[in-house]
Amino acid sequence: MLAAQTILFLLICVMLALTVFYSFRYRREAEPTKRGLYTARMNICMGLMLVLIAITQIFFFSESSFRRIFGTVLVLIGVFNFFVGVRNHGHYDRQLRG
């Protein structure tokens, strides 16, 4: 149980670092296509991070209806962010290559 919590914590930290990294890259980029690509990557990382946080809230803490609701909301927001990021990444990647 402790190993799973540690792995999830490390994954959350990695996703947070990648979200911040792509956020800075987005703000420094002048070309609109690359800005969109960095925003899409940021959304993908943020979505994964929110899903991982939700998993820790739902499974590793005391049984509470507030934690269950909070975890469910985070899963929904995270999945939405992830899919929007994947869709936008494909769009901007095709623009950048073509």
Side-chain angles (χ1 to χ4, degrees):
M1 184 73 113
L2 183 61
Q5 287 178 336
T6 304
I7 290 170
L8 281 173
F9 176 73
L10 291 174
L11 286 173
I12 289 169
C13 290
V14 167
M15 289 299 126
L16 177 63
L18 286 172
T19 300
V20 170
F21 172 74
Y22 287 124
S23 176
F24 280 120
R25 295 281 307 260
Y26 159 76
R27 285 173 174 73
R28 292 183 158 267
E29 185 61 51
E31 187 181 333
T33 305
K34 285 188 179 179
R35 284 176 64 103
L37 196 63
Y38 292 140
T39 303
R41 289 177 185 171
M42 181 181 66
N43 279 340
I44 291 169
C45 293
M46 190 181 307
L48 290 174
M49 180 183 65
L50 289 173
V51 168
L52 290 171
I53 291 171
I55 289 171
T56 59
Q57 289 296 312
I58 292 172
F59 294 115
F60 293 119
F61 288 104
S62 63
E63 296 293 323
S64 166
S65 60
F66 177 74
R67 284 194 191 275
R68 298 279 182 196
I69 294 169
F70 181 70
T72 304
V73 169
L74 283 182
V75 165
L76 293 175
I77 294 171
V79 168
F80 177 76
N81 248 5
F82 179 77
F83 283 118
V84 167
V86 168
R87 182 194 66 190
N88 289 342
H89 191 277
H91 173 74
Y92 286 114
D93 192 40
R94 281 190 300 276
Q95 277 188 353
L96 198 61
R97 292 177 194 257

